[in-house]
Amino acid sequence: MIRHFRKISCVLLLTTQMGNAAAQKEIASLPAANDSSYGYTAANPVKLKKGNVEKSILHTMDYLAGLVTADNQALVLIKRSSVPAPGRSATALSERFGVAKPGILDKYVFVTATSKDTITLFVDIYNKSKTMIPAGLKYVQP
Protein backbone atom coordinates (compact mmCIF):
# COMPACT_ATOMS: atom_id res chain seq x y z
CA MET A 1 0.00 0.00 0.00
CA ILE A 2 2.78 2.44 0.89
CA ARG A 3 4.67 1.59 -2.32
CA HIS A 4 1.49 2.29 -4.33
CA PHE A 5 1.04 5.62 -2.53
CA ARG A 6 4.66 6.59 -3.32
CA LYS A 7 4.16 5.83 -7.02
CA ILE A 8 1.03 7.96 -7.12
CA SER A 9 2.80 10.76 -5.23
CA CYS A 10 5.73 10.70 -7.69
CA VAL A 11 3.40 10.82 -10.69
CA LEU A 12 1.44 13.72 -9.18
CA LEU A 13 4.63 15.61 -8.34
CA LEU A 14 6.01 15.11 -11.86
CA THR A 15 2.71 16.17 -13.43
CA THR A 16 2.57 19.27 -11.24
CA GLN A 17 6.14 20.23 -12.11
CA MET A 18 5.47 19.80 -15.83
CA GLY A 19 2.31 21.88 -15.50
CA ASN A 20 4.23 24.61 -13.70
CA ALA A 21 6.92 24.70 -16.40
CA ALA A 22 4.27 25.13 -19.09
CA ALA A 23 2.50 27.82 -17.06
CA GLN A 24 5.78 29.64 -16.43
CA LYS A 25 6.60 29.60 -20.14
CA GLU A 26 3.14 31.00 -20.91
CA ILE A 27 3.53 33.74 -18.29
CA ALA A 28 7.02 34.64 -19.54
CA SER A 29 5.54 35.55 -22.93
CA LEU A 30 2.95 37.99 -21.51
CA PRO A 31 3.21 41.62 -22.63
CA ALA A 32 3.92 44.50 -20.29
CA ALA A 33 0.94 46.70 -19.43
CA ASN A 34 0.88 50.22 -20.81
CA ASP A 35 -1.59 51.31 -18.12
CA SER A 36 0.34 52.30 -14.99
CA SER A 37 -2.62 51.36 -12.75
CA TYR A 38 -2.80 47.76 -14.04
CA GLY A 39 -2.34 45.43 -11.08
CA TYR A 40 -1.56 48.26 -8.69
CA THR A 41 -5.15 49.31 -7.90
CA ALA A 42 -8.22 47.39 -6.78
CA ALA A 43 -10.12 49.00 -9.66
CA ASN A 44 -7.70 47.47 -12.20
CA PRO A 45 -6.46 44.12 -10.81
CA VAL A 46 -4.54 41.42 -12.63
CA LYS A 47 -7.21 38.90 -13.62
CA LEU A 48 -5.84 35.36 -13.34
CA LYS A 49 -8.81 33.02 -13.53
CA LYS A 50 -7.62 29.67 -14.85
CA GLY A 51 -10.43 27.12 -14.54
CA ASN A 52 -11.58 26.39 -11.00
CA VAL A 53 -10.46 28.24 -7.86
CA GLU A 54 -7.66 25.76 -7.06
CA LYS A 55 -6.17 26.07 -10.57
CA SER A 56 -6.48 29.83 -10.40
CA ILE A 57 -4.60 29.94 -7.09
CA LEU A 58 -1.79 27.76 -8.49
CA HIS A 59 -1.65 29.95 -11.60
CA THR A 60 -1.40 33.03 -9.38
CA MET A 61 1.49 31.50 -7.44
CA ASP A 62 3.32 30.75 -10.72
CA TYR A 63 2.65 34.31 -11.91
CA LEU A 64 3.83 36.00 -8.71
CA ALA A 65 6.86 33.72 -8.22
CA GLY A 66 8.60 35.06 -11.33
CA LEU A 67 7.89 38.77 -10.98
CA VAL A 68 10.91 41.01 -10.44
CA THR A 69 11.45 44.73 -10.80
CA ALA A 70 12.78 46.18 -14.06
CA ASP A 71 16.23 46.31 -12.42
CA ASN A 72 15.99 42.61 -11.41
CA GLN A 73 15.18 43.02 -7.72
CA ALA A 74 13.28 40.06 -6.31
CA LEU A 75 9.90 40.70 -4.72
CA VAL A 76 9.65 39.38 -1.17
CA LEU A 77 6.09 38.75 -0.01
CA ILE A 78 5.38 40.37 3.33
CA LYS A 79 1.58 40.17 3.46
CA ARG A 80 -1.40 38.69 1.65
CA SER A 81 -4.99 39.58 2.40
CA SER A 82 -8.43 39.45 0.81
CA VAL A 83 -10.26 42.68 0.10
CA PRO A 84 -13.62 43.41 -1.48
CA ALA A 85 -13.49 44.46 -5.10
CA PRO A 86 -14.72 47.99 -5.77
CA GLY A 87 -18.51 48.06 -5.63
CA ARG A 88 -18.79 45.10 -3.24
CA SER A 89 -19.60 45.22 0.45
CA ALA A 90 -17.22 44.15 3.20
CA THR A 91 -19.25 40.94 3.58
CA ALA A 92 -17.48 39.65 0.46
CA LEU A 93 -14.49 38.89 2.68
CA SER A 94 -16.40 36.26 4.65
CA GLU A 95 -17.53 34.62 1.40
CA ARG A 96 -13.90 33.80 0.57
CA PHE A 97 -13.89 30.58 2.52
CA GLY A 98 -17.44 29.54 1.68
CA VAL A 99 -18.77 29.52 -1.83
CA ALA A 100 -16.37 31.25 -4.20
CA LYS A 101 -18.00 34.39 -5.55
CA PRO A 102 -16.70 37.16 -7.76
CA GLY A 103 -15.99 40.39 -5.94
CA ILE A 104 -13.06 39.36 -3.78
CA LEU A 105 -9.53 40.40 -4.64
CA ASP A 106 -6.26 39.14 -3.26
CA LYS A 107 -3.96 41.94 -2.12
CA TYR A 108 -0.26 41.08 -2.09
CA VAL A 109 2.24 43.39 -0.45
CA PHE A 110 5.88 42.88 -1.42
CA VAL A 111 9.12 44.56 -0.51
CA THR A 112 11.90 44.78 -3.08
CA ALA A 113 15.02 42.84 -2.14
CA THR A 114 17.59 45.64 -2.41
CA SER A 115 15.91 49.05 -2.27
CA LYS A 116 13.24 47.88 0.23
CA ASP A 117 10.48 49.67 -1.71
CA THR A 118 6.94 48.44 -1.09
CA ILE A 119 4.90 47.15 -4.02
CA THR A 120 1.22 46.25 -3.67
CA LEU A 121 -0.49 44.12 -6.31
CA PHE A 122 -4.19 43.26 -6.62
CA VAL A 123 -5.19 39.92 -8.15
CA ASP A 124 -8.63 38.70 -9.18
CA ILE A 125 -8.82 34.89 -9.49
CA TYR A 126 -12.57 34.84 -10.24
CA ASN A 127 -12.62 36.76 -13.53
CA LYS A 128 -10.78 36.45 -16.83
CA SER A 129 -9.27 39.16 -18.95
CA LYS A 130 -6.15 39.68 -21.01
CA THR A 131 -3.30 39.13 -18.59
CA MET A 132 -0.22 41.34 -18.68
CA ILE A 133 2.76 42.13 -16.50
CA PRO A 134 2.32 45.34 -14.44
CA ALA A 135 4.38 48.35 -15.56
CA GLY A 136 7.81 48.47 -13.91
CA LEU A 137 7.93 44.70 -13.43
CA LYS A 138 9.00 41.80 -15.58
CA TYR A 139 8.70 38.03 -15.40
CA VAL A 140 11.77 35.83 -15.03
CA GLN A 141 11.15 32.09 -14.94
CA PRO A 142 11.98 30.87 -11.41
Side-chain angles (χ1 to χ4, degrees):
M1 180 71 171
I2 292 175
R3 187 180 308 156
H4 181 67
F5 178 74
R6 285 184 185 156
K7 285 181 184 179
I8 292 172
S9 296
C10 289
V11 169
L12 288 174
L13 180 61
L14 183 58
T15 303
T16 302
Q17 288 175 341
M18 288 188 311
N20 286 345
Q24 291 167 354
K25 187 175 180 180
E26 177 187 329
I27 295 166
S29 67
L30 292 173
N34 292 326
D35 182 348
S36 62
S37 71
Y38 179 79
Y40 295 112
T41 65
N44 195 9
V46 178
K47 295 182 179 179
L48 292 173
K49 182 175 182 176
K50 196 76 165 178
N52 63 27
V53 174
E54 290 79 16
K55 287 180 183 177
S56 296
I57 291 170
L58 292 174
H59 183 62
T60 299
M61 294 302 104
D62 286 337
Y63 179 88
L64 295 175
L67 291 180
V68 297
T69 63
D71 62 350
N72 293 315
Q73 292 185 63
L75 300 182
V76 180
L77 180 65
I78 57 173
K79 184 178 180 182
R80 184 210 155 274
S81 58
S82 294
V83 297
R88 290 284 298 215
S89 68
T91 59
L93 291 174
S94 65
E95 295 170 357
R96 173 65 184 234
F97 300 102
V99 177
K101 294 184 178 180
I104 302 168
L105 301 177
D106 293 324
K107 178 180 176 182
Y108 294 89
V109 180
F110 298 93
V111 65
T112 55
T114 306
S115 64
K116 304 301 182 196
D117 293 326
T118 301
I119 294 176
T120 301
L121 295 176
F122 293 88
V123 174
D124 180 346
I125 64 169
Y126 301 107
N127 295 289
K128 275 187 174 182
S129 184
K130 180 179 178 184
T131 304
M132 296 175 280
I133 303 298
L137 300 178
K138 62 184 181 178
Y139 187 86
V140 178
Q141 285 185 275

